[in-house]
Amino acid sequence: MTVIVEDLSVSIAGRRLVDGVGLTLTSGERTALVGASGAGKSLACAALAGTLPPGATATGRLTVRRTDRPEPDDGVNLLDLPAARRPSSSRIALVQQDPSTSLHPLETVGTQVAAAARAAGASRDGARSRALELLERVGLDADLAARVPARLSGGQRQRAAVALALACEPVLIVADEPTTALDVVARAELLAVLVEVTSPWSDSVGGADKGAADAPALLLVTHDLPAAGTCERVVVLDEGQVVESGDSRSVLTRPLHEVTRAMCEAAREESLAGALAAIESRAAVDDCALCEITQGESGRRPGYMPRSRVLAAGAPSSAQGRHGE
Ligand SMILES: Nc1ncnc2c1ncn2[C@@H]1O[C@H](COP(=O)(O)OP(=O)(O)OP(=O)(O)O)[C@@H](O)[C@H]1O
């Protein structure tokens, strides 16, 4: 299953803010969309998810192609349809920076995920067990499923938003800066969850009868280059246009375009500044665990590894603790 974006442009008030973007997003593969602030990443995401603001118009083509089990709606240009009118076989789920945009504040997350599973076709009982299965999959047990979002930590809320996205059985998850508001450990946990649920060896993302090929594709929008490194591919956007793309290892280690080079340089400087700050404050810190996102060797599952007693930029100090504790 492949989601194909061709010549995507978004204009507002006569200004072309996304300009001729092309992407090929394949089931079970992850693509990072990076670029400076204002490059057009969020507008591109909103166009893909069918949630553009009033006054914005999108042109180009957004289609789903399945070679194994074609659906009657394959080939329909989804850009012409807002999210609510898109065919159920071609849903694109959006996970945003602020999970409160997708989670209802007064309902338990279990109820909300079950409602999404029900809307995707599950029976009442099936939806309830599907919700628990999905929430467990993102690391939230039955006790947490019975809580309203305000009684979860930021990282747990964001993982609930991922479970909600999965419940609608999407072909593509678009995650727009999902880790920005999280501490370093919650960020690592969320990235590991996103990697797991979009890996081709994921079991039954779309239900017990579906196979590995049905893992959704992931488009991860991020400023965070280590997070981009959890994806197989990186696409760099500048002033609405794709200026560089390729496998993440080569784009991030041998950037060609000046924008990519500047981002890589800034990330290096950030790490250095963080490391220097860490050295200065080390005396005040007795213990701190940091998780490092790792990309698996070919054929191996990517994930995150705990690196105990390491302090780096943004790592929580023992005095602060981490979110949810
Ligand atoms: N509703 C809107 N009305 C007018 N202009 C908009 C609107 N939304 C975004 N823009 C403009 O479109 C351009 C791209 O915005 P967008 O939010 O897509 O950037 P971005 O790459 O996601 O930035 P950031 O990383 O800061 O979120 C910016 O110049 C922004 O000011």
Side-chain angles (χ1 to χ4, degrees), residues 12 15 17 35-44 53 177 223:
I12 299 180
R15 276 181 70 209
L17 300 162
S37 186
K41 305 181 296 296
S42 293
L43 283 177
E177 306 271 9
H223 287 110

Side-chain angles (χ1 to χ4, degrees), residues 10-13 15-18 33-46 52-56 97 176-177 221-223 237 239-240:
V10 178
S11 301
I12 299 180
R15 276 181 70 209
R16 189 174 274 223
L17 300 162
V18 176
L33 184 62
V34 303
S37 186
K41 305 181 296 296
S42 293
L43 283 177
C45 286
L52 278 172
Q97 182 177 327
D176 189 1
E177 306 271 9
V221 174
T222 184
H223 287 110
L237 208 60
E239 296 186 356

Side-chain angles (χ1 to χ4, degrees), residues 28 130 133-134 136-138 166 169 193 195-216 301:
R130 178 93 182 112
E133 176 200 325
L134 288 173
E136 195 181 324
R137 186 123 182 249
V138 300
L166 287 171
E169 299 181 18
V193 161
V195 166
E196 199 275 327
V197 301
T198 55
S199 291
W201 42 76
S202 286
D203 53 348
S204 65
V205 166
D209 59 331
K210 291 195 172 183
D214 294 291
R301 184 187 293 249

Side-chain angles (χ1 to χ4, degrees), residues 184-189 288-294 303-308 310 315 322:
V184 71
V185 177
R187 160 186 170 275
E189 287 170 345
C288 188
L290 176 68
C291 290
E292 183 180 71
I293 301 295
T294 60
Y304 67 98
M305 287 193 310
R307 251 211 252 154
S308 52
V310 173
R322 43 171 295 217

Side-chain angles (χ1 to χ4, degrees), residues 41-190:
K41 305 181 296 296
S42 293
L43 283 177
C45 286
L48 299 189
T51 58
L52 278 172
T57 52
T59 58
R61 281 181 66 73
L62 167 63
T63 51
V64 177
R65 185 185 300 157
R66 273 167 273 241
T67 46
D68 47 348
R69 276 179 290 156
E71 295 278 344
D73 293 309
D74 287 359
V76 166
N77 187 1
L78 302 171
L79 285 182
D80 294 339
L81 303 170
R85 289 184 34 225
R86 290 186 176 177
S88 56
S89 59
S90 303
R91 292 193 187 97
I92 295 178
L94 183 61
V95 174
Q96 289 174 287
Q97 182 177 327
D98 178 1
S100 67
T101 52
S102 54
L103 294 172
H104 192 290
L106 301 179
E107 288 188 349
T108 69
V109 292
T111 304
Q112 297 184 56
V113 177
R118 189 118 168 79
S123 66
R124 189 182 298 270
D125 287 347
R128 219 172 284 138
S129 54
R130 178 93 182 112
L132 290 177
E133 176 200 325
L134 288 173
L135 286 164
E136 195 181 324
R137 186 123 182 249
V138 300
L140 302 177
D141 62 21
D143 171 45
L144 297 175
R147 296 191 191 178
V148 294
R151 293 191 56 225
L152 297 175
S153 71
Q156 290 166 340
R157 268 199 293 277
Q158 199 55 297
R159 282 184 275 140
V162 173
L164 193 64
L166 287 171
C168 74
E169 299 181 18
V171 290
L172 169 67
I173 296 177
V174 177
D176 189 1
E177 306 271 9
T179 59
T180 302
L182 302 182
D183 73 46
V184 71
V185 177
R187 160 186 170 275
E189 287 170 345
L190 182 73

